Amino acid sequence: MPENLTPQPWWVAVIGGLLFTIRWLIGFGASSAKATIDSQREDLDRLNARVDRLEEAEKENLAIIQELRAENAELRKMLNRTLSIPDGGPVASVSR
């Protein structure tokens, strides 16, 4: 083996340093990725809870809408009966 390619002690230190740095970077990336995943999991849980609250509010609003539609239909019937009273009724002067 030529003299300039003979393994030198400092090569071991350089290679060891490179391997340590690579391992440290991989570990740092993994911990960063884990932190990102945990953060996104918390955000997802929060958003799911918000969606659940919105769906519940939607159900309540739909129930209120149905009640108001029924009440509106009754009021229209009463109004039509009131307007159909012959001359002299309380709203006979109302024009259509």
Side-chain angles (χ1 to χ4, degrees):
M1 184 174 254
E3 190 174 313
N4 60 350
L5 293 179
T6 305
Q8 301 293 324
W10 63 271
W11 287 13
V12 175
V14 169
I15 292 173
L18 286 172
L19 291 175
F20 175 80
T21 302
I22 291 169
R23 186 172 183 269
W24 179 81
L25 288 172
I26 290 171
F28 181 73
S31 66
S32 176
K34 185 176 182 200
T36 300
I37 290 170
D38 291 341
S39 172
Q40 288 177 348
R41 184 177 292 128
E42 291 170 4
D43 290 344
L44 186 60
D45 291 342
R46 183 178 44 80
L47 290 172
N48 282 335
R50 184 172 180 210
V51 167
D52 291 341
R53 287 192 307 269
L54 289 172
E55 287 175 346
E56 186 62 34
E58 180 184 25
K59 288 177 186 176
E60 292 172 6
N61 289 339
L62 287 175
I64 291 171
I65 288 170
Q66 291 299 333
E67 291 174 13
L68 291 174
R69 283 182 176 160
E71 185 179 336
N72 188 25
E74 289 296 319
L75 291 172
R76 284 180 184 268
K77 285 180 189 176
M78 289 174 33
L79 181 62
N80 286 335
R81 274 187 265 143
T82 303
L83 292 177
S84 65
I85 295 176
D87 298 326
V91 287
S93 62
V94 174
S95 64
R96 291 188 186 195

